Amino acid sequence: MDMKTFLKQSAPEEREALASSVDSSVGYFYLIAGGHRRPSTDLCKRLVHAEPRLSLAALRPDVWGEKHAE
């Protein structure tokens, strides 16, 4: 799941809890979802650890996408 889908499907409390657990903000999540910012690889790993519905490949396809799986 990518960040845009997560934001659409989650309740505001879930978003806040995730942001707090990864030391980020819901506002930054919206920047990621809109394509205005790319999360660091470290933040991606923390996000996936805290919220297993998210995936590394969906968050940063340039790093973990299919073309990089080789």
Side-chain angles (χ1 to χ4, degrees):
M1 172 185 293
D2 64 3
M3 186 58 73
K4 188 174 187 177
T5 305
F6 172 77
L7 291 173
K8 284 182 181 180
Q9 294 180 358
S10 62
E13 298 81 21
E14 288 179 279
R15 298 176 204 148
E16 286 292 339
L18 179 60
S20 177
S21 71
V22 298
D23 196 29
S24 190
S25 69
V26 175
Y28 191 67
F29 292 169
Y30 277 99
L31 291 174
I32 294 169
H36 305 288
R37 294 284 186 263
R38 289 191 302 182
S40 68
T41 55
D42 182 56
L43 178 56
C44 288
K45 290 175 186 176
R46 292 192 321 252
L47 285 165
V48 171
H49 180 74
E51 177 50 70
R53 292 180 292 174
L54 294 170
S55 74
L56 293 173
L59 291 169
R60 285 293 302 267
D62 61 317
V63 176
W64 290 294
E66 288 183 28
K67 69 179 182 178
H68 296 283
E70 302 170 8

